[in-house]
Amino acid sequence: MSTQFCQANKLCFPSPFRGWLADSCGGGSCQMSRVGSLLRWGQQKAAAPEAASALEPDPDPPEITGRQTLNPIGGMHYLAEHTDIVRHLCRVAPTQFASASDDHSIVIWDTETHRSKAKLLGHTMPVTCMLVVRRSGVDGDLLLSGSTDKSVRVWDLETAQCISTWETHGGTIKTLADLRGGLCCSGGHDLCVWSIADGRLVSRVKWDEEYDTDVRQIIGADNGNVIIAACDDRQLLAYRVRRGAGRANVDLLPIKKLVGHREPVQCLHKLTEHAFASGSLDGSICLWDAVDLQMTQVLNYHETYVLWDKSMHTYLYSVHHVTSVGNWLVAATGSGFSVFNIVTGTRVAKQRAAHGASVSKILLFGTEEELCVVTASVDAAVKIWDLSSCCPSTASSETQASPILELARKMTPISPVKSRTRKAAPRLIGHLYGHTGAVNDLIETDGFGFASCSSDRAVISWRNAVMEWQRLNEGTVKAVDHFYPEERPHTPPNGPEGPDDLQTPTKWNASV
């Protein structure tokens, strides 16, 4: 079901975690909590000056007062179909996306009607990951879903039916990756390679017998010939996918362990087929060559990154998510985010306190000239930031046309140095209220906006009001032309481009 289209920037839903807890509670135990944190910071300041400075009380996260005139989002659709926490979103078609929940179900949503198209039932425990793959020689895509019930299910998106169930894993499936050539990989207690066409297990590494931790995330690199696996450890592991005659002859050959982080790796991001990035609890972001498996650059390196005492173990710069577009890489670090130039290895902008709690997900959209980032947080807020002043256009430069890998090879070899920040700051242009729980995922939908999901069991489709209005108006014009070819609709009273109070939309071109 869905609520009506409404003005998002006029909603007055309170954010339950906004600002200091003392401010929202009016003193008492919350006030004591704030005092306690200040005392701990004071005790550790002398021993770790750099770390202590990072723990200085952040200013309150930026807020927008009055009307959000620059906010490209003008409306929302509240999609309520799940009965438990919604953790994952996945785009499955140009105008459709899927949401996966702890209620064991997957819902397919239509972004034009803002209603559920199908509900996929079959898992017996929470759904933990999703992946869209194309069937070899057959029209239509397949949706793969992994679950805590130790199974991977394959869904036909045309019929919304489960056509295959893979049950070889010894524990929760935590991640899925496409390896091309009709193969895919799943990770958890084991690392398994599957033939998508017939659902056969073609190769397996019993991870729990070799390592003490599970696979957290995997990506396919070098056109599916290399698997990069991150586990609850500080190392990455690389495997070569050796393909024999036919899909049944596939071997996973360990290549090497990639050492670069000082704490467990939290996230992986594919930059190109030949380059990827990894982010860690220690705050560092490593750029890697996926061909020779060498580290080419280290971003956001800090000598002191963790505070220890009897009651607190705090990672100051933990990287929760990384994404990129063009030469720009954006990382969610702590309760803020940083923007880096991949070519020069410098940090061009930093927003230290973007939210009142950890930033869980980021989404980039726009063009090289008009780049924006959407941030989602545990504090239930979704915010939009303008990066135009931080990321000048590089479309005309010679380096823009060069592959990231070649640029990385021309850089000075790895030397962990502190990132340099230019004097430019992201500008907050939109604060979207609607969720009442931690926001878990963001995804670009159909070019007219994006969607978010939350622990409050809701999915919200955020829409660009001008583009939505233009789409509906074009549909009306086509209908009138079809049924009444001799008549033309009148010009709207506020002009042909829509209401006067709505801004010209930013071109959506998201990267996750």
Side-chain angles (χ1 to χ4, degrees), residues 1-3 77-83 109 116 457-460:
M1 58 182 295
S2 166
T3 60
H77 292 272
Y78 192 89
L79 312 177
E81 189 77 26
H82 291 288
T83 58
W109 301 97
S116 61
R457 303 178 294 181
V459 177
I460 295 181

Side-chain angles (χ1 to χ4, degrees), residues 241-261:
V241 182
R242 188 174 66 182
R243 308 172 192 242
R247 294 193 183 98
N249 300 319
V250 176
D251 293 320
L252 283 182
L253 305 177
I255 307 175
K256 64 184 300 186
K257 295 180 180 180
L258 310 182
V259 180
H261 296 287

Side-chain angles (χ1 to χ4, degrees), residues 271-272 275 287 324 326-327 342 402-409 411:
L271 298 169
T272 69
L287 306 185
S324 64
N327 290 342
I342 299 175
S402 303
I404 292 175
L405 178 59
E406 293 302 321
L407 290 168
R409 285 173 172 167
M411 296 179 196

Side-chain angles (χ1 to χ4, degrees), residues 323-454:
T323 187
S324 64
V325 58
N327 290 342
W328 311 113
L329 181 144
V330 182
T333 56
S335 61
F337 65 92
S338 295
V339 184
F340 300 90
N341 186 314
I342 299 175
V343 177
T344 63
T346 58
R347 181 171 57 205
V348 299
K350 179 180 179 179
Q351 183 64 44
R352 179 175 172 184
H355 290 265
S358 297
V359 175
S360 54
K361 210 74 174 182
I362 47 181
L363 175 71
L364 284 173
F365 69 90
T367 63
E368 288 283 336
E369 294 80 11
E370 299 179 357
L371 189 62
C372 294
V373 62
V374 182
T375 57
S377 170
V378 177
D379 68 0
V382 177
K383 296 183 178 182
I384 304 177
W385 307 81
D386 179 17
L387 302 181
S388 299
S389 61
C390 313
C391 306
S393 174
T394 57
S396 60
S397 67
E398 295 180 1
T399 59
Q400 178 68 14
S402 303
I404 292 175
L405 178 59
E406 293 302 321
L407 290 168
R409 285 173 172 167
K410 295 176 183 178
M411 296 179 196
T412 303
I414 304 138
S415 54
V417 294
K418 297 180 181 179
S419 300
R420 303 182 298 277
T421 306
R422 295 187 337 181
K423 293 183 178 180
R427 179 174 56 160
L428 179 63
I429 60 174
H431 192 157
L432 308 180
Y433 301 97
H435 287 297
T436 58
V439 183
N440 298 317
D441 206 356
L442 291 171
I443 188 173
E444 188 267 342
T445 52
D446 57 0
F448 294 91
F450 62 93
S452 59
C453 65
S454 169

Side-chain angles (χ1 to χ4, degrees), residues 470-480:
Q470 290 176 343
R471 181 178 68 85
L472 294 174
N473 186 56
E474 289 172 359
T476 302
V477 171
K478 290 180 180 179
V480 171

Side-chain angles (χ1 to χ4, degrees), residues 53-66:
S53 65
L55 276 191
E56 291 182 11
D58 288 335
D60 289 336
E63 297 286 348
I64 296 181
T65 58

Side-chain angles (χ1 to χ4, degrees), residues 28-44:
S29 61
C30 290
Q31 196 71 270
M32 293 301 297
S33 175
R34 181 179 182 181
V35 172
S37 65
L38 291 174
L39 288 175
R40 286 194 297 271
W41 165 73
Q43 293 169 354
Q44 295 161 343

